[in-house]
Amino acid sequence: METALTPEGLSTDILAIANMPVLWVLALGVFAAIIVQSLVYMKAARKAGPAAEISEEELKTSFRAGAIAAIGPSLAVVLVSIALLTLFGTPAVLVRIGLVGSAATESASASLAAGTMGATLGGPDYTQAVFVVAFMAMSMSGAGWMLATLILTPILRRGDTKLRRVNPALMAIVPAAALIGAFASLGLAELGKTPVHILSVIVSAITMAICITLASRTRATWLREWGLGISIIVGLIAAYIAHTSGLAPAA
Amino acid sequence: MSSADTAITRDASLAEFDRTTSRWGQLTMGVALFLSLAAPLYLVLFTDLGITASMIWTAYLAVAAAFFVLWFVEPITYYPVLGPAAMYQAFMIGNIANKLLPSALVAQAAIGAKAGTKRGEFAALMAICGAAMVHVLSMLFFVGILGTWLVSIIPTDIVDVARLYIFPAIIGGVLVQLVVTMKQPRVTVIAVVVAALVLFVLVPAVPALAKPATGVVVLITAVLAWFLRSRKAPATPTTLVN
């Protein structure tokens, strides 16, 4: 553990700082930005609707269709977010997992950041200082996506052909390799920890495999979006049973 | 009015729409970017935890090494589907592949608009607005209010165990989901072999590589996957995480 940390920095009461009122205000600000954006866009769409050959009625239908289609996926994100509340506190979960990022990228970022502090995400060494560094690092990484969007969108809009001429094979293989590489590395790293960690990884993986199989073989396609939430819950239940029955090293 | 005049007003109207959406899109995204960085920065600067700049940069480098490719690839990949206005929505609301794109497709189908047309673009934009409203409200209510309350009443021993094992419980599912949706068996095998070699052979031999290990795996996997790619199969666009 780094030596610069103060006694406060070594406290493991994450929620004491993760749920501070200032963070709530900033998180609500991000929500407000999204709401303002949607309102401005809808007004602009209604004004330019005739020029785009789309009627006011069709705009309303589109809004409603999008809203209804989003209910299932949104609630699936809610389930995953609630599971992560104890790790990051409500404001960070709302912004990072609920909005900008996803459960996969943000928890991966946090785990990587905690690793550089010599700590395990959620472990006995997951102190306030580790949480803050992880929160900072995942927010900076999330800013990467937003900055890229802010920079690339105007360029793509001008129809810059250079970006579009990027080799399609490169665009298919490199991101897939980067993603699978990152998550395979993080997954295998968990297998090097306690037997309960190994069990959680395996149970979660098997649960996901079952959900995906059922989603493609039966009519239960909703299992595709709920798969992650279900896998996390089943994985945690297995971990709880194993942990309380003494599989874990004495804490 | 002659047909030429109508065409001019139509173009002007669409140009104004583009101007409004990109100006407000950039502005609102800029505000969200600032606020999302301000939260952790506040904790770094105004709590007395003894966090140093070098701790933050070390952590950031480890995270960036794993994800920097995606920062650029995801916006480029989604642009043709989303169009400029919706780009600023999508990368702020998140969950693009599993929520926003399906919403946009459903809306286009509902009014019989084709993707790539102005009608299609407007339908997608309205659908994403609808999805955003549902998402914002359900996050605020179910996570912000109910979730916070739920965590406060769950016994602490359960909370402690959940916190301890939440990451392995996420990573197992995410990995299987990625491997299945990507359908890139060759890349998967390369990634797993490289990860195993780096984590269980290289890092024990060279402990200095422990911190950037995931970045090293990503880099080697990407290079190997590129040079060992199948030259026969046509390239298909990939499914991404956000």
Side-chain angles (χ1 to χ4, degrees), chain B:
Chain B
M1 217 170 7
S2 74
S3 63
D5 287 343
T6 331
I8 289 166
T9 43
R10 183 187 301 155
D11 284 351
S13 175
L14 288 176
E16 195 201 327
F17 171 81
D18 282 346
R19 245 193 336 269
T20 311
T21 51
S22 49
R23 189 182 307 140
W24 281 88
Q26 286 169 350
L27 184 72
T28 45
M29 183 173 246
V31 169
L33 176 62
F34 171 78
L35 293 176
S36 71
L37 284 174
L41 202 58
Y42 173 85
L43 290 180
V44 170
L45 297 178
F46 297 106
T47 56
D48 186 25
L49 303 179
I51 292 166
T52 62
S54 82
M55 289 178 198
I56 292 170
W57 288 113
T58 312
Y60 176 65
L61 282 181
V63 176
F67 290 120
F68 81 95
V69 174
L70 297 170
W71 298 342
F72 304 99
V73 166
E74 288 200 324
I76 296 174
T77 309
Y78 287 130
Y79 181 84
V81 200
L82 293 168
M87 285 284 281
Y88 300 115
Q89 296 181 291
F91 285 92
M92 220 152 82
I93 303 164
N95 303 289
I96 301 169
N98 64 354
K99 187 180 64 204
L100 300 187
L101 290 185
S103 288
L105 294 179
V106 167
Q108 288 173 340
I111 66 157
K114 284 202 187 74
T117 63
K118 274 286 154 198
R119 263 170 69 79
E121 191 190 324
F122 275 52
L125 182 107
M126 291 303 286
I128 292 177
C129 287
M133 290 302 118
V134 164
H135 192 62
V136 160
L137 292 178
S138 57
M139 285 305 291
L140 285 177
F141 182 71
F142 291 113
V143 180
I145 299 172
L146 278 185
T148 311
W149 172 75
L150 201 63
V151 169
S152 71
I153 58 158
I154 293 175
T156 44
D157 67 319
I158 296 182
V159 169
D160 287 346
V161 174
R163 186 187 286 169
L164 196 50
Y165 301 111
I166 182 91
F167 188 66
I170 290 176
I171 206 77
V174 166
L175 190 55
V176 169
Q177 192 174 36
L178 267 180
V179 166
V180 173
T181 51
M182 297 246 173
K183 296 190 188 71
Q184 302 240 27
R186 195 185 290 236
V187 174
T188 306
V189 171
I190 295 171
V192 172
V193 171
V194 170
L197 286 178
V198 169
L199 291 178
F200 302 127
V201 180
L202 188 65
V203 169
V206 190
L209 285 175
K211 286 181 184 181
T214 297
V216 172
V217 172
V218 168
L219 193 73
I220 300 178
T221 305
V223 171
L224 284 181
W226 175 247
F227 285 108
L228 299 177
R229 73 185 184 275
S230 162
R231 322 245 162 182
K232 277 176 270 168
T236 46
T238 182
T239 318
L240 296 163
V241 273
N242 270 314

Side-chain angles (χ1 to χ4, degrees), chain A residues 74-151:
Chain A
S74 277
L75 292 180
V77 176
V78 163
L79 178 63
V80 175
S81 300
I82 290 177
L84 283 162
L85 281 179
T86 59
L87 208 49
F88 303 130
T90 312
V93 164
L94 284 177
V95 172
R96 303 247 52 91
I97 284 98
L99 301 178
V100 183
S102 65
T105 55
E106 303 309 296
S107 59
S109 300
S111 176
L112 287 168
T116 66
M117 301 276 287
T120 322
L121 204 56
D125 47 8
Y126 182 61
T127 59
Q128 289 190 352
V130 175
F131 159 73
V132 171
V133 170
F135 186 21
M136 189 77 231
M138 64 169 137
S139 300
M140 287 163 80
S141 173
W145 271 277
M146 288 205 205
L147 278 175
T149 305
L150 285 170
I151 295 166

Side-chain angles (χ1 to χ4, degrees), chain A residues 2-250:
Chain A
E2 313 272 348
T3 45
L5 299 177
T6 62
E8 288 78 21
L10 296 173
S11 159
T12 54
D13 188 4
I14 305 301
L15 298 184
I17 57 166
N19 284 336
M20 281 170 76
V22 187
L23 301 190
W24 274 94
V25 171
L26 293 169
L28 293 177
V30 178
F31 279 81
I34 289 174
I35 293 172
V36 167
Q37 185 188 53
S38 289
L39 294 176
V40 171
Y41 274 27
M42 287 192 281
K43 199 170 157 230
R46 208 174 309 132
K47 208 169 158 202
E53 287 162 2
I54 187 163
S55 71
E56 195 139 327
E57 200 50 47
E58 286 175 322
L59 288 174
K60 262 188 213 141
T61 307
S62 301
F63 179 88
R64 204 162 37 219
I68 292 168
I71 294 175
S74 277
L75 292 180
V77 176
V78 163
L79 178 63
V80 175
S81 300
I82 290 177
L84 283 162
L85 281 179
T86 59
L87 208 49
F88 303 130
T90 312
V93 164
L94 284 177
V95 172
R96 303 247 52 91
I97 284 98
L99 301 178
V100 183
S102 65
T105 55
E106 303 309 296
S107 59
S109 300
S111 176
L112 287 168
T116 66
M117 301 276 287
T120 322
L121 204 56
D125 47 8
Y126 182 61
T127 59
Q128 289 190 352
V130 175
F131 159 73
V132 171
V133 170
F135 186 21
M136 189 77 231
M138 64 169 137
S139 300
M140 287 163 80
S141 173
W145 271 277
M146 288 205 205
L147 278 175
T149 305
L150 285 170
I151 295 166
L152 291 175
T153 304
I155 298 175
L156 290 163
R157 230 171 86 105
R158 265 185 260 124
D160 197 320
T161 44
K162 247 185 249 158
L163 272 177
R164 300 201 178 192
R165 252 190 280 129
V166 179
N167 189 334
L170 190 75
M171 288 293 282
I173 288 173
V174 171
L179 263 179
I180 301 179
F183 286 98
S185 169
L186 289 163
L188 285 185
E190 291 304 302
L191 297 182
K193 293 176 182 166
T194 71
V196 186
H197 281 85
I198 299 175
L199 180 81
S200 313
V201 174
I202 293 173
V203 169
S204 165
I206 293 173
T207 310
M208 177 60 89
I210 295 172
C211 287
I212 293 177
T213 312
L214 286 178
S216 61
R217 299 243 171 106
T218 69
R219 290 171 154 269
T221 45
W222 54 273
L223 273 174
R224 214 173 274 282
E225 63 221 28
W226 285 87
L228 187 58
I230 296 170
S231 304
I232 293 173
I233 303 295
V234 175
L236 281 180
I237 292 172
Y240 186 77
I241 294 169
H243 185 90
T244 48
S245 64
L247 248 181

